Amino acid sequence: MQTQTLENALVREDLFPINGTDHIEFYVGNAKQACHFYQSAFGFDLIAYRGPETGDREKISYVLRQGKITFVLTSALDPGHDIARHVHEHGDGIKVLALWVDDAAEAYQTALERGAVSAFPLQMMEDAHGQVRMAAIKTYGETIHTFVERSGYQGAFLPGFAPKASSMEVRPLGFKYVDHCVGNVPLGEMNQWVDFYQKVMGFNLLVTFDDKDISTDYTALMSKVVSNGNGYIKFPINEPAEGKKKSQIEEYLDFYRGAGVQHVAIATDDIIYSVDQLRKNGVEFLHVPEVYYDSLPERIGSIKEDLEALKRLNILVDRDEEGYLLQIFTKPVQDRPTVFYEIIQREGAKSFGKGNFKALFEAIEREQALRGTL
Ligand code: FE2
């Protein structure tokens, strides 16, 4: 059962104002090569760089942008650096979900007063292009939320970064913004993290999925979605539920060695173009059998997209009370079966594709079986 909560309908004062996602930072084994992947396969532009040439001898970061999405890829240069330990432990993964706020000091203080744990205290950074203030709190696993206050900063990314352009031809794929970021946590911890987002950051519980919504013959999971006051930030939190075999969430937790970000959903206005290009660029997607499309017209009703194109590209469709959405999921984008992407086009629908869960989880199970983890 999908349970809409009362809070969903209430208009409340926003007690923790967040403008949107500022950036997502990945800790990776080889930032230079990851940077090539996000340019050549995902169509991101390289915009900034930090490393020895800019005065940082410990780590290297490449900053990529497409639409309103900013990714930072960071690697350690020193084997003793905590970034190197993080990569050793988790593989390539997401360390920072950074949130854009108007007052970093206030956001940080408020969060701490409400029980958050500090990741780093307020820092003021400045260069010729202006000032940025940042502070961070811990969330699930080793993931952190940095509060970024830009105060009209005019530089390429942050003080300390130099502008850097792509040295290759980059074709943007129509990516607009981060739609949602999903976290996987161990069994029994989902409610704790949902409470954290509600109490510390004033998020609302949008929707709850239980193991009856999200289960196949073999695996099950539970999920709750929390969202900030203006609705721009949506964080679904998953935990495994008991199934006959190892769930995809347990597989993630085993390979990531703990809780972490499972997927980032990227919004596009033209999913057919985006996915067509991604496929041409070599990005691999989960495969849903053709039979999925047989019952699609009666389940979904009329949509403006060409059904044959959706079928050819294996794009999924779901409908809710407010409209429909189109979505597809990549395979994991690093060696470990951990982080992956969702590409999503919303045509009015504000939900998460519940009607596709079964087909998707069966597709994931086929991949798990190939890995010998199911
Ligand atoms: Fe998603």
Side-chain angles (χ1 to χ4, degrees), residues 257-275:
R257 299 289 195 272
V261 176
Q262 178 209 40
H263 76 268
V264 175
I266 293 175
T268 171
D269 289 338
D270 186 352
I271 196 168
I272 290 175
Y273 175 77
S274 299
V275 173

Side-chain angles (χ1 to χ4, degrees), residues 180 182 236 263 265 327 329 342 352:
H180 58 274
V182 182
H263 76 268
Q327 64 186 166
F329 295 82
E342 172 180 355
F352 295 86

Side-chain angles (χ1 to χ4, degrees), residues 87-311:
V87 172
H88 181 73
E89 177 82 4
H90 304 292
D92 288 6
I94 292 174
K95 174 67 181 180
V96 185
L97 296 173
L99 305 170
W100 174 31
V101 298
D102 288 334
D103 188 334
E106 190 183 324
Y108 178 67
Q109 269 314 320
T110 305
L112 293 192
E113 281 161 20
R114 295 178 185 169
V117 176
S118 174
F120 63 78
L122 193 69
Q123 299 177 351
M124 209 271 282
M125 299 179 300
E126 195 166 16
D127 66 12
H129 305 289
Q131 225 180 59
V132 173
R133 294 201 300 167
M134 302 202 308
I137 59 168
K138 294 182 177 178
T139 179
Y140 49 78
E142 290 205 71
T143 317
I144 67 170
H145 290 307
T146 304
F147 303 120
V148 184
E149 173 192 335
R150 298 191 159 274
S151 328
Y153 180 72
Q154 295 293 316
F157 176 56
L158 292 172
F161 285 79
K164 189 175 178 77
S166 295
S167 58
M168 59 190 293
E169 190 193 340
V170 173
R171 269 178 303 162
L173 304 189
F175 295 169
K176 299 287 184 196
Y177 56 87
V178 173
D179 187 274
H180 58 274
C181 296
V182 182
N184 282 343
V185 302
L187 183 60
E189 291 186 16
M190 175 181 68
N191 285 329
Q192 171 197 326
W193 289 108
V194 168
D195 285 350
F196 165 86
Y197 283 108
Q198 290 182 292
K199 284 185 188 143
V200 170
M201 293 167 73
F203 281 35
N204 301 310
L205 178 62
L206 275 190
V207 59
T208 298
F209 302 104
D210 64 23
D211 54 351
K212 287 169 203 69
D213 297 311
I214 315 183
S215 70
T216 64
D217 288 346
Y218 297 113
T219 63
L221 68 90
M222 311 265 279
S223 189
K224 288 185 177 177
V225 184
V226 290
S227 175
N228 78 317
N230 66 12
Y232 291 170
I233 309 287
K234 291 191 277 292
F235 290 152
I237 311 284
N238 297 331
E239 74 174 18
E242 297 231 342
K244 288 182 201 150
K245 294 191 178 176
K246 183 186 275 191
S247 82
Q248 50 164 306
I249 309 303
E250 287 171 280
E251 187 195 41
Y252 173 101
L253 296 168
D254 284 354
F255 277 93
Y256 198 74
R257 299 289 195 272
V261 176
Q262 178 209 40
H263 76 268
V264 175
I266 293 175
T268 171
D269 289 338
D270 186 352
I271 196 168
I272 290 175
Y273 175 77
S274 299
V275 173
D276 196 23
Q277 294 301 311
L278 285 165
R279 286 191 182 279
K280 284 175 181 154
N281 295 343
V283 175
E284 297 178 303
F285 293 91
L286 289 176
H287 181 75
V288 171
E290 306 260 301
V291 65
Y292 169 87
Y293 294 90
D294 295 348
S295 60
L296 198 60
E298 60 196 55
R299 188 162 70 80
I300 300 303
S302 88
I303 57 174
K304 67 179 188 200
E305 288 73 21
D306 173 26
L307 204 62
E308 280 310 307
L310 298 178
K311 191 173 174 177

